[in-house]
């Protein structure tokens, strides 16, 4: 989950940054970028595309307000989750054009921020039919159905799909937390596989379509594999 945080109050921006550091200990795969001006966030969007999953913005800021920023971002990105921060509750009605998930009144409560980001994280994962990576500074969305398996490659992860192989700095453990557990399972330290592409299996190994040879099932991953594959096949039968 990648978050843009914008507030022209440096002291308050630092406070939210500290919250993020504490929340990261729970989420693990959360990342964020700090901005002091709404104009800078908007310029970043125009240069780099829709890279953020969440936008957290103060309302009263410089020439461009947080409301103007959120409305501009919403027109460009229908999926971004927005949170407003403000000292003034009278802004609430104007804010809802951008369909924010919540409206935070300062001083922020760590518990509220943490709970709301958990809600945002859950919503993102449930709504996704793809994983998002950055490859060669470009955002790429890879559909779940196209992913055959993922493997560690040095300090990077390779994503093998039906059409193309992708390389990303995101770790296999990050993908393990992010991917739909009804579709994917980690079978050892090196591989995460898509149940859909399992061709055959034995007690200790798995064969995948379009892959030569078999993948060993690690002892510590054996139980997750067995339960997951059994549930996957049960769901397929119910869908027929």
């Amino acid at each position: 989950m990648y978050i843009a945080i914008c507030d022209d109050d440096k002291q308050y921006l630092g406070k939210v940054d500290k919250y993020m550091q504490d929340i990261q200990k729970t989420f693990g795969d959360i990342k964020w970028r700090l901005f002091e001006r709404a104009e800078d966030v908007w310029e970043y969007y125009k240069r780099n595309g829709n890279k953020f999953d969440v936008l957290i913005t103060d309302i009263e800021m410089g020439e461009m307000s947080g409301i103007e920023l959120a409305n501009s971002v919403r027109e460009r990105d229908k999926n971004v989750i927005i949170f407003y921060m403000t000292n003034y509750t009278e802004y609430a009605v104007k804010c809802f054009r951008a369909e924010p998930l919540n409206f935070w009144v300062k001083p922020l409560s760590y518990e509220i921020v943490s709970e709301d980001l958990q809600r945002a994280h859950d919503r993102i994962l449930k709504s996704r039919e793809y994983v998002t990576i950055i490859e060669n500074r470009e955002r790429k969305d890879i559909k779940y159905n196209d992913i055959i398996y993922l493997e560690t490659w040095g300090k990077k992860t390779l994503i093998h799909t039906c059409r193309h192989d992708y390389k990303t700095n995101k770790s296999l453990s990050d993908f393990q937390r992010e991917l739909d557990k009804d579709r994917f399972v980690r079978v050892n330290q090196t591989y995460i596989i898509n149940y859909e592409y399992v061709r055959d299996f034995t007690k200790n190994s798995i064969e995948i379509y379009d892959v030569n040879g078999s993948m060993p099932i690690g002892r510590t991953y054996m139980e997750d594999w067995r339960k997951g594959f059994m549930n996957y096949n049960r769901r397929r039968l119910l869908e027929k």
Side-chain angles (χ1 to χ4, degrees), residues 122-134:
D122 292 345
R123 177 180 290 191
I124 290 166
L125 294 186
K126 287 179 181 178
S127 67
R128 278 185 178 170
E129 291 294 319
Y130 59 85
V131 293
T132 299
I133 66 166
I134 304 299

Side-chain angles (χ1 to χ4, degrees), residues 2-238:
Y2 193 19
I3 304 173
I5 305 168
C6 186
D7 195 327
D8 60 356
D9 184 331
K10 291 184 179 180
Q11 184 174 358
Y12 215 88
L13 194 62
K15 181 176 182 178
V16 179
D17 182 40
K18 179 61 169 61
Y19 280 179
M20 293 299 112
Q21 292 175 40
D22 292 337
I23 292 170
Q24 187 182 47
K25 297 172 184 177
T26 301
F27 284 96
D29 59 345
I30 186 174
K31 296 181 180 179
W32 61 96
R33 188 182 182 101
L34 304 176
F35 298 88
E36 294 181 17
R37 302 191 323 137
E39 293 87 343
D40 293 338
V41 181
W42 183 230
E43 284 301 317
Y44 187 90
Y45 255 90
K46 290 189 288 186
R47 290 196 311 270
N48 300 283
N50 304 342
K51 288 188 175 181
F52 295 111
D53 300 300
V54 177
L55 169 64
I56 299 173
T57 181
D58 189 27
I59 291 181
E60 286 198 326
M61 297 183 295
E63 295 182 8
M64 186 179 197
S65 71
I67 295 175
E68 291 171 316
L69 169 63
N71 289 341
S72 297
V73 169
R74 174 60 74 213
E75 288 178 6
R76 184 185 183 106
D77 186 351
K78 302 303 180 184
N79 297 315
V80 66
I81 294 174
I82 296 171
F83 294 102
Y84 285 113
M85 304 183 292
T86 185
N87 289 308
Y88 307 102
T89 56
E90 63 266 24
Y91 285 114
V93 175
K94 295 180 180 179
C95 290
F96 280 94
R97 177 184 164 193
E99 301 176 1
L101 187 59
N102 207 351
F103 183 87
W104 297 337
V105 178
K106 296 180 178 179
L108 301 189
S109 158
Y110 173 82
E111 288 72 22
I112 290 176
V113 173
S114 180
E115 288 174 7
D116 274 351
L117 287 181
Q118 180 66 62
R119 285 202 298 143
H121 187 263
D122 292 345
R123 177 180 290 191
I124 290 166
L125 294 186
K126 287 179 181 178
S127 67
R128 278 185 178 170
E129 291 294 319
Y130 59 85
V131 293
T132 299
I133 66 166
I134 304 299
E135 184 181 59
N136 298 324
R137 298 184 179 179
E138 292 184 12
R139 170 175 171 153
K140 296 180 180 178
D141 297 328
I142 307 170
K143 292 181 179 179
Y144 281 157
N145 290 341
D146 289 339
I147 299 174
I148 302 172
Y149 69 101
L150 304 88
E151 69 171 315
T152 55
W153 188 265
K155 294 183 179 180
K156 297 181 182 291
T157 299
L158 289 182
I159 304 174
H160 300 274
T161 76
C162 304
R163 303 174 183 83
H164 181 75
D165 290 344
Y166 299 89
K167 187 183 295 183
T168 174
N169 290 326
K170 209 179 219 179
S171 72
L172 204 66
S173 294
D174 287 339
F175 282 111
Q176 186 179 3
R177 286 189 291 268
E178 179 179 342
L179 287 166
D180 184 349
K181 291 177 175 55
D182 288 337
R183 303 188 194 189
F184 296 88
V185 64
R186 188 164 184 170
V187 296
N188 55 46
Q189 289 288 338
T190 305
Y191 297 109
I192 291 176
I193 60 103
N194 186 340
Y195 291 121
E196 184 178 347
Y197 292 93
V198 174
R199 181 177 61 189
D200 198 2
F201 61 93
T202 66
K203 181 179 179 180
N204 299 309
S205 65
I206 302 167
E207 292 184 9
I208 303 292
Y209 285 104
D210 297 325
V211 177
N212 292 325
S214 60
M215 298 176 180
I217 306 173
R219 185 179 302 172
T220 57
Y221 301 94
M222 188 71 72
E223 190 65 21
D224 286 343
W225 150 254
R226 287 175 178 168
K227 287 182 179 179
F229 194 59
M230 183 171 61
N231 290 334
Y232 170 76
N233 283 315
R234 185 183 295 121
R235 285 192 301 273
R236 288 186 64 187
L237 290 173
L238 291 173

